[in-house]
Amino acid sequence: MEKTKNVIIIIEFVFVLIVMLVANIVKLDDAVSVTERRKLAQFPAFTKNSVFSGKFASDFDKYAVDQFVRRDSFKEIKYWFSMNIFNQKDSNKMFVKDGSIYKLEYPLNENAVKKSAEKLQTVQEKYLKNANVYYSIIPDKTYYLDDNYLKMDYEKIEEIMAEKLQDTKYIDIKNILTKDDFYNTDLHWKQENIIKVVNILNTNMGIVSQTNYEEKIAGEFYGTYYGQVGAKVNADTIKYLTNSNIENAITYNYETNQYSKVYDLEKFETSSDKYDIYLSGATPLITIENQNANTDKELLIFRDSFGSSIAPLLLENYKKVTLIDLRYMNGQLLESYIEFSNQDVLMLYSGTVLNQNILK
Amino acid sequence: MVFSSITFIFYFLPIVLAIYYMVPKKMQNLILLVASLLFYFYGEPKYVILMVFEIIVAYLFGRLIDKKHKKIFLIIPIAIIVGLLVYFKYIDFLIQNVNVIFEKDIDLVKVILPIGISFYTFQIISYIVDVYRGEVKVQKNILNLATYVALFPQLIAGPIVRYKTIDAQLDNRKHSIENVSIGIRRFVIGLGKKVLIANVLGELVNVFLASNERSVLFYWLYAFANMMQIYFDFSGYSDMAIGLVKMFGFEFPENFNYPYISSSITEFWRRWHISLGTWFRDYIYIPLGGNRVSKIKHLRNILIVWLLTGLWHGAAWNFIIWGLYFGILLILEKEFILKKVDKIPKIIRILATFFIVMISFIIFSGESKIEIFENIKGLFGIGGISLTSLESIYYLKSYAVVLIISLIGATPLMKNVFKDKKVSNFLEPVFILFVLIISTSYIIDGSFNPFLYFRF
């Protein structure tokens, strides 16, 4: 029996090693990981320099991991093991609860929030002294879980923001959202669920508005969280709200110098991130012109990616909405592009972005 | 190259094993040597020259000692090899301290520490000294000597194998199905200890270090996870090394023997990093006179050995303090404590030893004096910190199973499960395959996978 056991152990070990070795050699390398939305490491250049500097070795290690055969299945095994056998509450900060993927955004980095708030304060003091400035904070999904999960202290974020952004008005939207207002596979909110947020913003900004939208379905959507967790979760559906004002509106992207429509259905088909349907995705500066507007009012939105899906719904009462993403452009450069007059100003940021000190 | 990597497990190892078992027996050492040099070259392309140089020095002076038994032929190679170790490992630490003590401003050399230098330096010294002492025959085949020094399973993280242990095995060793099977089991268990326990607990340690919300419970979680991470990392690496050499027919002595069940510090050091302890005993402590000298000199010898043991682990003050902490405790045990504690129940002694060792690893892992004091004070709630916090309770729940497994794994309990032949014949092959697959999945997922020996 002992001998049989020894033989079995050798066979299984050698089998796994040889099969994997051969499979990894035979398998064609992938250029990108669709689920993880990133380029995968390729076989490194084998040169005298790369070998003797150790770069070949470190690059090969990355290549070996990135191109490992059935990589996604192994990630699923890891997730299953850590959650079910080790009974961990998260795996690399990710976890699935009730069919929805969450990412721990804990802990709060007070320093980073202060820095983010200071950046906004600088913009406010430089350009917006006489403007009506409003700001709001979008909690991440974990905020809506029970207390068994770690979440950022949003009261503390509000406190820091209030300290820095004086002479502005805070619009609290935390409590009108629920976890169902966010996608299951992504960090963002669903456009079709945030009319209530638009209403609260409008009310606080002194706008009386009742707008009707038609809800359209763009298609299936696996968000950024999907590739970060080794678990199968049902796809989300991207829907978008539209009406004649939005249909006729024209966007201008300062980065690409291109005019486009509010909803970029072509990008939805071609982009790896389907959320790019809203205003064609991340960009430093974009304007939306409302061709049907019966007002001259303008709105400036300092925003992150959450702004892309809510901006079309704020368009109704403005002639022009300008979206500025301070993650991609320096606040000091704004005057070269924007003429500051007496626009309404909304600073709308997610807690996740404020917690990272990535505003320029 | 580290063992717990895809490159090693799924490229290097199968290729080396296949070639090794395909070539004629007389070429096997050469294959091992070439593989070992490639293994080292992969991670340290430049420093492979340094290792080869030290091997040549050891070889030449070994031959000289064999021809003329003169002390100078012992002193010169040791001076060269220790000198190189001091230069590469301690020079900047020395300069920093000279600058502080004498208020100088000497520039640091900023030399990069060659991986594994502390391990192979000690192996080479053991060879030269043993040849000089006449305990082993000189190795006339430089390839065999080079294979001993560079043997990849023990090259970068030990165990420190004395030349006389494998002298005979270099020429004649037993390859058998049983040995290969035991080797595989040992390797996979070591891999699991490193990847599934040490690395996972390392994540918890990192979460603690990054936290601003430390409670008494969190300090305890850190202290416990930290000592378990170090044990499972070190002993996992030793298991992998012992398993790997076994696949190639070698027998290495054990390096860890359930140190956390020790009932005294003296016992702990008989069970922890055994190859390092015996090296210091045979090449430092006994040559200094050991305990066969006056009491003062005996105490001096103990303190020197532990000062050096601390320094061996890294060129920083926390390692020196860590070594001396044990030196002083061992003196206290020898002189006073061990004579009086017989009546204390063993479980109390084990717990006390466990606690003392836990504190030692807080010192070992501390980046600064302040951090070390904070982390020790925190265990006792000094400074008005709360008992628990949401964060510590979350991580306690999240890591409870791993912490419990680590505690069980640090005792001989699991070994006893596999003692029953009926159980082991069925369970072991399944268990080994399971651990291999799960460990691979953890490595592929890009989980935390540090190399703790970069300072050794």
Side-chain angles (χ1 to χ4, degrees):
Chain A
M1 270 310 271
E2 183 78 17
K3 204 173 171 188
T4 317
K5 177 181 82 178
N6 288 335
V7 172
I8 293 173
I9 286 175
I10 293 173
I11 290 174
E12 67 184 20
F13 185 73
V14 171
F15 180 79
V16 171
L17 261 58
I18 299 289
V19 164
M20 291 300 179
L21 175 70
V22 173
N24 281 322
I25 291 171
V26 170
K27 175 186 162 275
L28 294 175
D29 292 343
D30 298 317
V32 291
S33 161
V34 178
T35 52
E36 290 172 73
R37 295 220 192 123
R38 66 177 181 92
K39 285 183 182 167
L40 295 175
Q42 300 297 303
F43 192 86
F46 189 78
T47 63
K48 204 171 113 190
N49 261 351
S50 71
V51 169
F52 281 91
S53 66
K55 191 171 179 339
F56 177 82
S58 57
D59 286 353
F60 185 84
D61 284 346
K62 285 181 204 135
Y63 163 79
V65 170
D66 267 11
Q67 300 290 350
F68 201 85
V69 65
R70 307 287 308 212
R71 176 183 158 77
D72 286 346
S73 306
F74 277 101
K75 289 185 71 161
E76 280 174 36
I77 293 172
K78 191 261 172 167
Y79 181 80
W80 169 83
F81 188 84
S82 61
M83 301 306 273
N84 296 296
I85 305 296
F86 278 172
N87 205 25
Q88 292 206 265
K89 291 178 81 73
D90 62 84
S91 170
N92 298 349
K93 291 199 156 195
M94 309 292 300
F95 58 94
V96 179
K97 187 168 166 29
D98 303 330
S100 188
I101 306 169
Y102 292 83
K103 181 176 186 182
L104 279 190
E105 294 292 350
Y106 188 88
L108 174 69
N109 181 345
E110 282 187 37
N111 220 9
V113 176
K114 265 184 202 146
K115 291 265 166 59
S116 303
E118 280 163 9
K119 293 275 163 55
L120 296 173
Q121 183 188 21
T122 309
V123 168
Q124 186 211 348
E125 284 173 357
K126 186 164 183 189
Y127 307 113
L128 311 171
K129 276 256 154 94
N130 302 315
N132 293 320
V133 183
Y134 306 88
Y135 74 97
S136 192
I137 300 162
I138 309 160
D140 67 280
K141 257 204 280 189
T142 58
Y143 180 76
Y144 300 100
L145 290 175
D146 61 56
D147 287 340
N148 284 316
Y149 294 88
L150 291 176
K151 36 187 117 162
M152 278 196 285
D153 181 353
Y154 277 88
E155 279 71 30
K156 188 76 202 172
I157 296 181
E158 287 170 339
E159 193 184 298
I160 295 169
M161 293 287 280
E163 194 184 304
K164 301 286 176 193
L165 294 178
Q166 288 170 6
D167 300 327
T168 56
K169 187 175 180 197
Y170 175 56
I171 306 171
D172 189 352
I173 58 170
K174 292 194 309 293
N175 299 325
I176 56 160
L177 288 163
T178 69
K179 59 182 188 299
D180 299 326
D181 297 327
F182 295 81
Y183 293 110
N184 286 333
T185 64
D186 198 70
L187 70 161
H188 293 111
W189 52 19
K190 300 174 187 167
Q191 193 193 37
E192 66 273 22
N193 284 32
I194 53 174
I195 297 274
K196 55 191 175 187
V197 178
V198 173
N199 290 339
I200 267 217
L201 292 174
N202 278 338
T203 306
N204 279 277
M205 290 161 74
I207 290 165
V208 185
S209 169
Q210 195 68 46
T211 313
N212 293 320
Y213 297 99
E214 185 188 349
E215 186 178 293
K216 289 191 173 176
I217 292 176
E220 254 191 7
F221 167 52
Y222 286 102
T224 43
Y225 282 176
Y226 188 73
Q228 294 174 34
V229 72
K232 292 262 184 277
V233 172
N234 290 335
D236 284 298
T237 303
I238 287 236
K239 297 176 184 172
Y240 59 98
L241 301 177
T242 191
N243 59 21
S244 61
N245 284 351
I246 294 177
E247 290 291 333
N248 294 326
I250 295 169
T251 68
Y252 177 69
N253 186 322
Y254 282 71
E255 190 181 33
T256 60
N257 290 327
Q258 279 184 346
Y259 291 94
S260 186
K261 292 199 146 219
V262 169
Y263 298 121
D264 192 336
L265 297 176
E266 194 186 320
K267 206 115 190 222
F268 179 81
E269 295 301 328
T270 55
S271 174
S272 60
D273 187 354
K274 305 292 180 202
Y275 189 76
D276 286 353
I277 186 174
Y278 303 110
L279 299 179
S280 309
T283 193
L285 185 61
I286 190 167
T287 56
I288 316 173
E289 298 259 6
N290 184 353
Q291 305 292 313
N292 304 347
N294 45 17
T295 169
D296 282 336
K297 279 178 76 178
E298 291 189 19
L299 173 67
L300 299 180
I301 308 179
F302 290 86
R303 57 89 179 214
D304 52 29
S305 53
F306 284 78
S308 298
S309 53
I310 200 168
L313 310 181
L314 293 167
L315 184 66
E316 188 70 20
N317 305 291
Y318 294 95
K319 181 167 177 51
K320 183 175 169 187
V321 176
T322 303
L323 292 102
I324 303 139
D325 196 332
L326 292 177
R327 292 175 301 169
Y328 307 121
M329 80 181 289
N330 194 316
Q332 303 296 324
L333 300 175
L334 288 176
E335 55 197 339
S336 317
Y337 299 94
I338 299 165
E339 196 181 317
F340 290 94
S341 47
N342 63 340
Q343 297 103 325
D344 283 349
V345 180
L346 173 64
M347 293 174 167
L348 179 64
Y349 278 95
S350 61
T352 312
V353 164
L354 294 175
N355 199 39
Q356 292 179 56
N357 186 22
I358 47 174
L359 302 188
K360 288 181 180 169
Chain B
M1 200 183 307
V2 293
F3 299 153
S4 54
S5 69
I6 295 299
T7 311
F8 181 81
I9 303 168
F10 294 103
Y11 287 89
F12 183 84
L13 185 59
I15 292 171
V16 172
L17 274 173
I19 297 174
Y20 180 86
Y21 278 101
M22 278 192 290
V23 299
K25 209 172 175 183
K26 61 180 178 190
M27 284 188 61
Q28 285 180 328
N29 279 1
L30 182 66
I31 295 300
L32 275 183
L33 176 60
V34 172
S36 298
L37 292 177
L38 269 174
F39 175 87
Y40 195 70
F41 178 83
Y42 186 83
E44 290 281 17
K46 285 171 189 159
Y47 285 140
V48 78
I49 304 284
L50 179 71
M51 186 173 67
V52 170
F53 170 73
E54 294 198 21
I55 291 168
I56 293 169
V57 168
Y59 175 75
L60 291 177
F61 281 91
R63 297 296 298 264
L64 281 173
I65 291 168
D66 187 44
K67 278 194 178 146
K68 285 187 181 169
H69 193 261
K70 284 188 173 176
K71 202 162 193 176
I72 192 75
F73 294 148
L74 172 72
I75 293 169
I76 292 173
I78 290 183
I80 293 172
I81 283 154
V82 173
L84 287 168
L85 178 68
V86 169
Y87 175 75
F88 282 103
K89 187 166 171 178
Y90 300 105
I91 191 73
D92 281 342
F93 179 60
L94 285 171
I95 293 173
Q96 278 165 354
N97 285 293
V98 166
N99 283 346
V100 171
I101 295 165
F102 301 104
E103 293 182 351
K104 299 269 182 198
D105 195 19
I106 306 167
D107 287 343
L108 296 182
V109 181
K110 290 186 178 159
V111 61
I112 295 168
L113 179 69
I115 288 178
I117 190 170
S118 304
F119 291 97
Y120 69 71
T121 297
F122 274 31
Q123 298 217 146
I124 290 173
I125 292 173
S126 91
Y127 168 71
I128 297 168
V129 173
D130 286 357
V131 171
Y132 181 79
R133 285 175 178 169
E135 290 183 20
V136 290
K137 277 189 194 161
V138 70
Q139 179 54 263
K140 290 184 177 162
N141 182 344
I142 192 169
L143 294 184
N144 276 359
L145 182 66
T147 307
Y148 155 68
V149 175
L151 197 61
F152 73 83
Q154 43 79 30
L155 179 59
I156 56 167
I160 299 160
V161 186
R162 291 178 55 176
Y163 178 73
K164 67 179 173 195
T165 310
I166 63 164
D167 178 20
Q169 299 174 36
L170 283 167
D171 288 321
N172 191 15
R173 53 186 181 269
K174 192 180 155 202
H175 297 96
S176 68
I177 285 179
E178 192 190 4
N179 273 349
V180 175
S181 168
I182 293 172
I184 290 169
R185 274 178 264 172
R186 213 44 208 277
F187 175 77
V188 174
I189 296 293
L191 181 69
K193 282 166 83 171
K194 159 73 181 156
V195 175
L196 303 180
I197 309 287
N199 287 355
V200 173
L201 292 179
E203 286 169 11
L204 177 57
V205 166
N206 277 5
V207 166
F208 168 83
L209 293 176
S211 168
N212 298 319
E213 208 184 302
R214 295 177 180 178
S215 59
V216 175
L217 173 65
F218 215 175
Y219 279 104
W220 278 90
L221 275 177
Y222 159 73
F224 185 80
N226 181 52
M227 74 186 290
M228 286 299 175
Q229 182 200 1
I230 293 171
Y231 168 66
F232 278 89
D233 205 298
F234 283 24
S235 71
Y237 239 94
S238 285
D239 287 336
M240 287 190 270
I242 291 168
L244 285 166
V245 290
K246 196 117 186 160
M247 292 182 211
F248 297 107
F250 289 94
E251 286 284 343
F252 274 10
E254 290 300 326
N255 207 20
F256 289 85
N257 183 22
Y258 303 104
Y260 290 162
I261 60 166
S262 305
S263 56
S264 69
I265 297 301
T266 311
E267 186 186 352
F268 171 77
W269 274 100
R270 277 202 292 264
R271 292 171 173 273
W272 177 273
H273 209 164
I274 299 163
S275 66
L276 182 72
T278 48
W279 193 96
F280 272 107
R281 186 194 65 204
D282 294 346
Y283 299 102
I284 305 284
Y285 181 67
I286 290 173
L288 282 173
N291 58 1
R292 295 180 179 179
V293 284
S294 66
K295 197 157 199 173
I296 295 291
K297 280 191 173 171
H298 179 209
L299 296 182
R300 177 206 68 182
N301 293 347
I302 293 175
L303 287 178
I304 288 175
V305 163
W306 288 96
L307 173 77
L308 293 176
T309 302
L311 258 180
W312 183 89
H313 286 83
W317 276 103
N318 64 314
F319 293 115
I320 295 176
I321 294 166
W322 180 75
L324 289 176
Y325 170 88
F326 276 119
I328 291 164
L329 280 167
L330 286 164
I331 290 172
L332 291 176
E333 269 195 0
K334 272 192 180 54
E335 296 299 321
F336 311 105
I337 301 170
L338 285 184
K339 294 167 193 162
K340 293 180 182 170
V341 294
D342 278 357
K343 283 176 193 153
I344 298 174
K346 196 172 178 192
I347 185 70
I348 304 283
R349 281 183 281 151
I350 290 174
L351 289 175
T353 307
F354 192 87
F355 180 75
I356 289 167
V357 171
M358 186 170 85
I359 298 291
S360 87
F361 284 125
I362 293 177
I363 300 170
F364 186 90
S365 304
E367 292 288 329
S368 68
K369 260 189 319 215
I370 297 170
E371 186 188 314
I372 292 167
F373 280 122
E374 282 292 314
N375 291 344
I376 295 173
K377 261 166 44 185
L379 296 174
F380 304 98
I382 298 170
I385 42 177
S386 59
L387 266 183
T388 63
S389 63
L390 280 176
E391 189 179 12
S392 55
I393 289 170
Y394 176 87
Y395 285 112
L396 173 64
K397 284 182 187 166
S398 193
Y399 286 87
V401 172
V402 190
L403 290 167
I404 291 166
I405 291 173
S406 74
L407 189 60
I408 295 169
T411 70
L413 219 67
M414 282 304 285
K415 197 166 115 186
N416 294 336
V417 169
F418 284 118
K419 255 188 185 161
D420 184 336
K421 288 282 175 224
K422 276 184 194 158
V423 177
S424 90
N425 282 339
F426 170 72
L427 269 188
E428 237 180 322
V430 180
F431 184 68
I432 294 299
L433 186 63
F434 184 72
V435 174
L436 178 63
I437 301 286
I438 302 296
S439 301
T440 303
S441 75
Y442 268 68
I443 298 170
I444 287 173
D445 192 55
S447 305
F448 185 60
N449 192 7
F451 183 69
L452 292 185
Y453 318 97
F454 68 97
R455 297 175 85 165
F456 281 21

